[in-house]
Amino acid sequence: MKSTIWIFAIILTITIYLQWSFVGISTGNYYYVIIFFIFLLLLFKNQILVNYKILWFLVFSLISIIFNKIPAFFRPYERFISFIIVMGLIGPLIINSNLLFFRNSLFKVFNTFLILLVVLSFLGIILRIPEMIGRGGVVGFFRHSMILSPLAGISTLLTLNYGYYSTNKIKKISFWILSIICFLTCIVGASRVAILGVLTGSLFFLYTIFKGRFKHLVSTILIITVIGALTYSVWEPFTEPFMKKIRYSESRGDVIYTRRSIWNTRLTEFKSSPFIGIGFASVSTENNKLFDEEGGQIEPGSSWMGVLSMTGFFGFIPLFLLLFQYLKLFYYEKENKMIKFLGSLFVFFVTHMFAEGYIISAGSILFFYFWLVMGLIEEQRRRILVK
């Protein structure tokens, strides 16, 4: 059975990257069919445990659909079902031994492909291959710069962790070199919130490994800062797309110009229905152009504000309690290496999702990775409870 699960993990990884890499093959509903098929095969083999916080979030999400008049083109029920299918397979909703093994296998395979594509993107960028430029600026081997930058940020944290925990000196140095390459790729992708996510995730990781050794933490940060400053002339060209975006925002008189109006819209939506929200996977159509009436796609501008406006307090609270539970786990657990590893990724996503709204977008690669990380954190939490 384990070899079959590894095959499932490889098939699903390839399916996702075919859609979100430069290949750009749309798998459409086949993606959900594959996930549902794997989910059913792995679900009923062992004892099942359920996370009730996520279950309550799903209940209130469904209530937000039932008790709101949502335009049909948003397809709320279809998106809700897609959310449950993907969440069930990789997220913290359901736990059993086969699903746990699958998630860990998928995490390893997915990360290998991710680091490879990010490093190849870096090489393509420095070689000035024309195909590295696309939607939103520098895209590398992905479909959009806003996909390249956060995925490169995640790769930075992955290689940083791999390097630190490697016992082989050559592997350790190699991973840290790859971490620098991935971070430069994140910078050239020019997503400010992705760069901020890498910094907060890295600080969290340093905090966990130097916990109780404040002087070591401060000295390490100072050394990294000094090295960065001394080598600025080397990596400064990679900051040009980022600085261009900053200059554009400043010319508009606001460094968060591209997000402020969207956030104000989410706040207005929340005020109009603070308890059950305006409806899962939907936005207000009044004086709002940031949605696609043909395909039903939306731009929430923030995952957290999106959940609050769509599902209201009732939907937001169980999700917040789950996140807070995990934060307590990261704070109190001192020896678990996997917790430290997953904690840095968790902090990256919490930061990144302040300005990106994919938390319920079941077709997004970032959605997929976030909920996979959440599923792995839930596994670690339950293992600690059993001890």
Side-chain angles (χ1 to χ4, degrees):
M1 184 64 181
K2 287 187 176 181
S3 59
T4 304
I5 291 175
W6 274 104
I7 292 171
F8 287 160
I10 293 169
I11 290 172
L12 185 53
T13 299
I14 292 173
T15 302
I16 293 169
Y17 281 117
L18 281 176
Q19 185 164 325
W20 289 97
S21 70
F22 69 100
V23 179
I25 297 176
S26 177
T27 53
N29 289 331
Y30 291 110
Y31 167 68
Y32 298 107
V33 170
I34 292 170
I35 288 179
F36 187 59
F37 174 72
I38 297 173
F39 182 40
L40 288 181
L41 286 178
L42 300 179
L43 180 61
F44 300 110
K45 296 292 183 179
N46 305 97
Q47 179 186 4
I48 295 172
L49 299 174
V50 176
N51 184 302
Y52 288 99
K53 291 182 181 68
I54 287 293
L55 186 62
W56 277 113
F57 172 69
L58 293 174
V59 169
F60 289 122
S61 295
L62 182 59
I63 288 172
S64 77
I65 298 174
I66 294 172
F67 292 97
N68 279 291
K69 294 181 179 179
I70 303 173
F73 57 77
F74 284 129
R75 297 179 294 172
Y77 286 105
E78 181 181 326
R79 295 181 188 279
F80 180 69
I81 292 170
S82 300
F83 180 78
I84 292 176
I85 291 172
V86 182
M87 167 71 69
L89 180 63
I90 63 172
L93 174 61
I94 297 173
I95 296 285
N96 76 16
S97 60
N98 278 342
L99 286 171
L100 293 181
F101 184 78
F102 173 76
R103 289 165 190 167
N104 281 278
S105 303
L106 180 64
F107 189 61
K108 293 174 184 176
V109 175
F110 203 92
N111 289 343
T112 301
F113 274 77
L114 178 56
I115 294 168
L116 177 62
L117 282 173
V118 169
V119 172
L120 288 175
S121 295
F122 177 81
L123 294 175
I125 291 164
I126 62 174
L127 292 173
R128 298 183 180 275
I129 297 174
E131 286 75 15
M132 298 295 102
I133 306 297
R135 289 181 60 198
V138 180
V139 299
F141 281 95
F142 296 94
R143 284 171 47 184
H144 198 288
S145 62
M146 293 300 102
I147 297 297
L148 169 67
S149 197
L151 291 181
I154 292 167
S155 297
T156 304
L157 296 173
L158 292 174
T159 47
L160 181 67
N161 277 271
Y162 292 155
Y164 179 79
Y165 288 117
S166 177
T167 55
N168 183 289
K169 186 175 289 187
I170 295 176
K171 285 185 177 180
K172 184 182 289 288
I173 294 171
S174 298
F175 276 124
W176 282 349
I177 291 172
L178 288 177
S179 187
I180 294 170
I181 288 172
C182 293
F183 185 54
L184 290 175
T185 308
C186 177
I187 291 174
V188 83
S191 169
R192 291 167 291 180
V193 72
I195 295 169
L196 182 61
V198 174
L199 295 177
T200 55
S202 300
L203 283 173
F204 175 84
F205 179 68
L206 290 173
Y207 167 77
T208 58
I209 62 177
F210 291 119
K211 201 168 186 179
R213 296 179 291 164
F214 183 73
K215 289 184 179 179
H216 288 81
L217 173 62
V218 173
S219 61
T220 301
I221 294 172
L222 285 175
I223 290 170
I224 294 171
T225 303
V226 170
I227 292 173
L230 292 174
T231 58
Y232 179 70
S233 60
V234 177
W235 55 269
E236 186 269 340
F238 291 93
T239 67
E240 181 53 33
F242 172 77
M243 295 307 297
K244 184 178 180 181
K245 185 174 287 188
I246 293 291
R247 288 192 293 269
Y248 172 78
S249 295
E250 288 178 343
S251 70
R252 297 282 180 167
D254 190 348
V255 293
I256 56 171
Y257 167 77
T258 56
R259 283 290 180 268
R260 187 177 296 279
S261 62
I262 306 177
W263 293 344
N264 287 336
T265 301
R266 297 291 84 79
L267 186 59
T268 301
E269 291 169 345
F270 169 70
K271 288 178 179 178
S272 70
S273 181
F275 297 109
I276 65 168
I278 63 166
F280 183 85
S282 65
V283 295
S284 172
T285 56
E286 296 179 9
N287 302 317
N288 181 14
K289 297 180 180 179
L290 292 175
F291 64 90
D292 177 14
E293 189 168 336
E294 184 177 340
Q297 288 86 6
I298 60 175
E299 174 51 82
S302 168
S303 290
W304 310 124
M305 293 187 73
V307 169
L308 196 58
S309 68
M310 294 174 196
T311 64
F313 269 130
F314 291 159
F316 183 81
I317 287 173
L319 184 60
F320 172 79
L321 291 175
L322 179 70
L323 296 173
F324 185 71
Q325 183 180 49
Y326 290 166
L327 280 173
K328 285 202 307 182
L329 176 67
F330 300 141
Y331 181 79
Y332 288 110
E333 184 59 35
K334 299 178 180 179
E335 304 300 328
N336 190 313
K337 293 180 180 179
M338 192 64 175
I339 285 292
K340 296 177 182 179
F341 186 9
L342 295 171
S344 62
L345 295 171
F346 176 86
V347 171
F348 169 87
F349 276 109
V350 168
T351 305
H352 190 249
M353 288 196 292
F354 272 104
E356 297 293 343
Y358 49 82
I359 192 169
I360 61 170
S361 302
S364 165
I365 190 172
L366 292 170
F367 164 94
F368 188 91
Y369 199 92
F370 168 71
W371 285 110
L372 176 59
V373 168
M374 293 286 278
L376 294 171
I377 294 170
E378 179 66 13
E379 174 194 356
Q380 294 300 316
R381 186 186 73 84
R382 290 184 181 271
R383 287 184 187 276
I384 291 169
L385 287 175
V386 171
K387 290 182 181 180

